[in-house]
Amino acid sequence: MRPPRSRLGRALATGVLCAATALGTLATGAAPAQAADQPLRDLADAKGIHIGNALAGSKLTNNARYREIAATEFNSVTAENAMKWGVLEPNRGSYNWGEADQLVDFAEANGQQVRGHTLIWHSQNPGWLDNGDFSAAEMRQLMRNHIETTVGRYEGRIAVWDVVNEMFNDDGSFRRTIWYDALGPDYIAEALTLAHEADPTAKLYLNDYSVEAVNAKSTAMYNLARDLKARGVPLHGIGLQSHLILGQVPSTMQANIQRFADLGLDVDITELDVRIQMPASADELRRQADDYRAVFDACLAVSRCQGVTVWGVGDNDSWVPDVFEGYGAPLMYDGNYQAKPAYDAVAEALGGTTDPGDPGDPGDPPGDGCVADYAVANEWNSGFTGNVTIRCTGSSLSGWTATWDFPAGQRISHAWNASCTQSGARVTCTNVSWNGTVPAGGSTTFGFNATTSGSNPAPASITLS
Ligand code: XIL
């Protein structure tokens, strides 16, 4: 069962001076986004696709909420970093399998498939490899050893491997890497062939970014894939990383997936995130939900699209703020692991239902995902001090107005940290210059003194806009 959505009526303890005062905690808009009725993985199973996440072993160990979300909402696991060469073999000849094993064990314990990421790449390699100045023959031998060792270790346990990662420049030319420079473009075919020998049951992928649209880079990928298929090289799928910017889901994404499918290849969305220029407003989080929905819709529309992996659990787990200056909030859960509007959009794209009024529903007013708590802080014969705290979880506010009706003739005499006006029973308070932005996961409080004539009941609700 879902928890009740409304926070109306929650009673708070009162201080000595206001013993008889009901401290209303008042809901406005909607409560934070809730988990959908059915976990995303069950919805994805019913649609016949995977929904995955990129995980870190230390967070699985140390954070129960992260672990719970990873286990219950996803049916596929990618190692965010644990299977990269630099992590596996920081010193030549001595492998660290700890975190990679942990992730594979976790996935198996939870009935999840594993995407192996990644064997041959230009980034996150050990220094000894990057700087070794090896001959072509030595590079070929190093590639063979690494693929045989790594794929062989998990034979039958890792369903899909990103064999080569990020092989193209944006103009569609081959990226110059230690592999390209030593072996020429055929390093890609060689790596695929070695991976197939090491685990003939694994599905082998090429993976890149900015190949989501039909463009020069994805066309280069398309031509390479077609040539490899024609040569009989073992290639089974293409990974579209999909590190997207808010509002920029390519209109040609579905057509692009389809053209790879028409070559006889599977396609996965392998690293989805949708970054927002910070701070993210409530409206931007709703538009982000639309972007998530569009990506899932594009995948679901093509039968060979195997699923979608999201690149991290909560917004604070994401690589985005470290790499794209000023951007953040790219994932389906916020920094407190509360589901964001994007979560509900994905649930809906997968055929699930979410409660009407969930943040992210089309047409929701700004402020959805934030609540205002009303409290009487102090009370005397003819008046009281009140506080209102605006708290945002699933989304943020930028510029706010809190409105309520006093039920028993209370009148505001003075307010601080907000500008308040009163007309009859109706009170309208707006932010001052420095507290207009309430980020997801943040709060702000304003206060007032008011006069009473007799009783001092709390308002029935506060509306945020
Ligand atoms: C990123 C990780 O998320 C970060 O933790 C790490 O510091 C750098 O790499 N494309 C890929 C991923 O294929 O492996 C990258 O992951 C993100 C871009």
Side-chain angles (χ1 to χ4, degrees), residues 43-56:
L43 298 169
D45 282 342
K47 291 279 186 191
I49 69 167
H50 294 293
I51 181 160
N53 213 312
L55 302 181

Side-chain angles (χ1 to χ4, degrees), residues 54 59 78-81 84 117-118 121 123-124 162 165-166 207-209 241 243 270-271 273 311-312 317-320 322-324:
K59 294 174 188 169
T78 301
E80 185 176 4
N81 289 297
K84 293 170 182 175
H117 176 80
T118 180
W121 193 19
S123 183
Q124 292 183 272
D162 289 331
N165 198 29
E166 300 180 350
N207 191 52
D208 213 329
Y209 62 87
Q241 290 186 7
H243 296 291
T270 53
E271 306 184 12
D273 48 32
W311 205 246
D317 300 312
S318 172
W319 73 310
V320 161
D322 297 335
V323 176
F324 302 99

